[in-house]
């Protein structure tokens, strides 16, 4: 018996029980749709995180003071005074793998202009900070190196601060605002960046010369941190090693020897590459978990096909006996039932793919979750559902092929 006839017989058998066939394929449909949707959400989240990290500067390196133990109590890193201006200057002059560097200090408080006020953070930085954090000035200009040397009371506002202090749309450039009781002249407004994937408002900030914040607001001589960017993302680890070596030398930390242990670093260095790697591994793990949970429904769908094929073999025992008695071989009966199982799973797979793609776009449209439908997820889901049809349809088909024709004809 040729495969064209077997295919027609399988189609007739499926058409004769449309409702049962649809319910059988429903498990596959739900399974494939779930896998595609879950993987689309997982991959979308991963790409969204990568985009946000790239916006912050994918080659950015952040240096912060290290926590210390005093009297058995671990100190708050923000209270440590291990980073100095000399450290910033040493890294700037000696490190070969960085292209921009900025000291950072910050303080939170109330900003006031006329009858309007808002809470925000002032960041003391230099001009390189814009390049490091991939910020740009939309109106006005960035403060100058002369302003930094003179500890001038000038600032650049984020768009959120502008919206609160100047709700009437007035141009803030040239206006004098107050941070508590300290007046600052606005010299520029940053380009709007919006919220990142963690829900943080990237426009709720004010930039000022680091010397101004250190002297006039915090009255301190140490830095809160140092931000810099590597020449390229590929040399981030080399830049980190070089910075570590410079800071250990500046802080006179002893190196480990065979006779004695070395001093621990009194600073921390974190890179966006490290953060990106950590976030990617986390999202990959979650995506795999989501895919596995959704894949369970594929297995359930396969068991449903197996169950229905068993019922079909039992119902059509006399038909099988008649076919075998007129010359149909066991392999023909095996192929017939196997084709039925594959047709159910492949049809369910096609509907499931369409439903999964539609559900992914619906999630994006209504829940506003980022999605990314990967071609490999569709191919994988379709391949798995086809394999499921073969795997779970083979045993019932094998049982049908092994029936004794005489006993099958006499079956009631």
């Amino acid at each position: 018996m040729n495969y064209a006839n077997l295919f027609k017989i399988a189609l007739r058998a499926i058409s004769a029980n449309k409702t049962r066939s649809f319910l059988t394929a429903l498990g596959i449909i739900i399974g494939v749709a779930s896998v595609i949707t879950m993987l689309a959400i997982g991959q979308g989240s991963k790409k969204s995180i990568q985009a946000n990290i790239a916006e912050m500067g994918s080659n950015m390196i952040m240096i912060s003071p290290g926590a210390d133990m005093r009297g058995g109590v671990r100190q708050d890193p923000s209270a440590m005074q291990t980073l100095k201006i000399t450290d910033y200057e040493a890294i700037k002059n000696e490190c070969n793998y960085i292209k921009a560097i900025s000291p950072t200090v910050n303080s939170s408080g109330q900003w006031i202009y006329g009858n309007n006020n808002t809470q925000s953070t002032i960041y003391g930085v230099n001009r390189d900070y814009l390049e490091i954090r991939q910020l740009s000035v939309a109106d006005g200009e960035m403060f100058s190196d002369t302003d930094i040397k003179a500890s001038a009371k000038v600032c650049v506002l984020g768009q959120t601060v502008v919206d609160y202090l100047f709700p009437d749309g007035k141009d803030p450039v040239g206006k004098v605002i107050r941070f508590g009781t300290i007046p600052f002249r606005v010299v520029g407004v940053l380009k709007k960046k919006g919220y990142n994937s963690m829900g943080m408002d990237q426009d709720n900030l004010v930039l000022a010369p680091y010397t101004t914040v250190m002297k006039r607001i915090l009255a301190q001589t140490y830095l809160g941190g140092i931000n810099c960017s590597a020449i390229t993302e590929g040399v981030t680890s080399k830049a980190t090693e070089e910075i570590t070596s410079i800071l250990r030398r500046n802080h006179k930390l002893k190196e480990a020897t065979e006779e004695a242990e070395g001093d621990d670093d009194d600073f921390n260095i974190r890179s966006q590459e490290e953060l990106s790697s950590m976030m990617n591994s986390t999202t990959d793990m979650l995506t795999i978990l989501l895919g596995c949970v959704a894949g369970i429904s594929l297995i359930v769908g396969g068991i449903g096909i197996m169950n229905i094929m068993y019922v079909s073999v039992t119902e059509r025992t006399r038909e099988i006996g008649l076919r075998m008695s007129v010359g149909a071989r066991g392999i023909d009966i095996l192929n017939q039932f196997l084709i039925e199982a594959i047709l159910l799973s492949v049809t369910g797979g096609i509907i499931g793919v369409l439903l999964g793609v539609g559900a992914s776009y619906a999630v994006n449209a209504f829940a506003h979750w980022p999605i990314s439908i990967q071609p490999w997820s569709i191919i994988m889901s379709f391949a798995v559902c086809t394999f499921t049809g073969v795997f779970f349809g083979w045993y019932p088909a094998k049982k049908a092929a092994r029936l004794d024709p005489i006993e099958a004809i006499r079956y009631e």
Side-chain angles (χ1 to χ4, degrees), residues 316-394:
R316 295 158 63 189
T317 300
R318 284 175 62 83
E319 175 194 330
I320 293 166
L322 285 170
R323 286 206 174 125
M324 294 181 78
S325 67
V326 294
R329 298 167 299 165
I331 189 67
D332 295 323
I333 303 300
L334 174 70
N335 287 338
Q336 177 191 331
F337 281 90
L338 204 54
I339 288 170
E340 283 184 36
I342 293 171
L343 274 174
L344 285 172
S345 61
V346 168
T347 304
I350 293 170
I351 297 171
V353 167
L354 296 175
L355 189 63
V357 171
S360 299
Y361 283 111
V363 166
N364 179 250
F366 296 106
H368 303 294
W369 288 356
I371 62 161
S372 177
I373 300 172
Q374 302 293 319
W376 61 262
S377 67
I378 294 175
I379 295 168
M380 181 192 73
S381 301
F382 198 76
V384 168
C385 79
T386 304
F387 173 78
T388 300
V390 174
F391 182 79
F392 286 100
W394 181 83

Side-chain angles (χ1 to χ4, degrees), residues 185-245:
R185 180 170 56 87
V186 180
V187 295
V189 176
L190 294 172
K191 185 178 178 181
K192 188 176 178 66
K193 289 197 77 173
Y195 288 83
N196 62 19
S197 60
M198 300 171 191
M200 295 174 63
D201 185 358
Q202 300 179 90
D203 300 310
N204 189 15
L205 80 167
V206 177
L207 303 183
Y210 67 91
T211 51
T212 305
V213 177
M214 290 173 69
K215 292 179 182 179
R216 303 184 187 278
I217 296 177
L218 299 174
Q220 66 184 40
T221 57
Y222 58 91
L223 300 175
I226 300 172
N227 285 3
C228 50
S229 59
I231 297 170
T232 62
E233 193 174 346
V235 299
T236 301
S237 57
K238 291 182 179 179
T240 301
E241 290 172 7
E242 198 169 26
I243 291 167
T244 301
S245 175

Side-chain angles (χ1 to χ4, degrees), residues 137-142 156 171 173 186-189:
V137 177
D139 189 21
E141 60 184 10
M142 186 62 170
V156 178
D171 185 6
V173 176
V186 180
V187 295
V189 176

Side-chain angles (χ1 to χ4, degrees), residues 113-114 116 139 157 159 162-163 165-175 186 189:
Y113 178 75
N116 302 310
D139 189 21
L157 305 182
Q159 192 59 53
V162 172
D163 292 341
L165 296 185
F166 302 91
D168 55 358
K170 189 183 297 183
D171 185 6
V173 176
K175 302 295 187 297
V186 180
V189 176

Side-chain angles (χ1 to χ4, degrees), residues 22-43:
F22 173 73
L23 293 174
T24 304
L26 191 60
I28 296 294
I29 292 170
I30 293 171
V32 171
S34 300
V35 169
I36 290 173
T37 306
M38 293 299 183
L39 290 178
I41 292 171
Q43 290 297 310

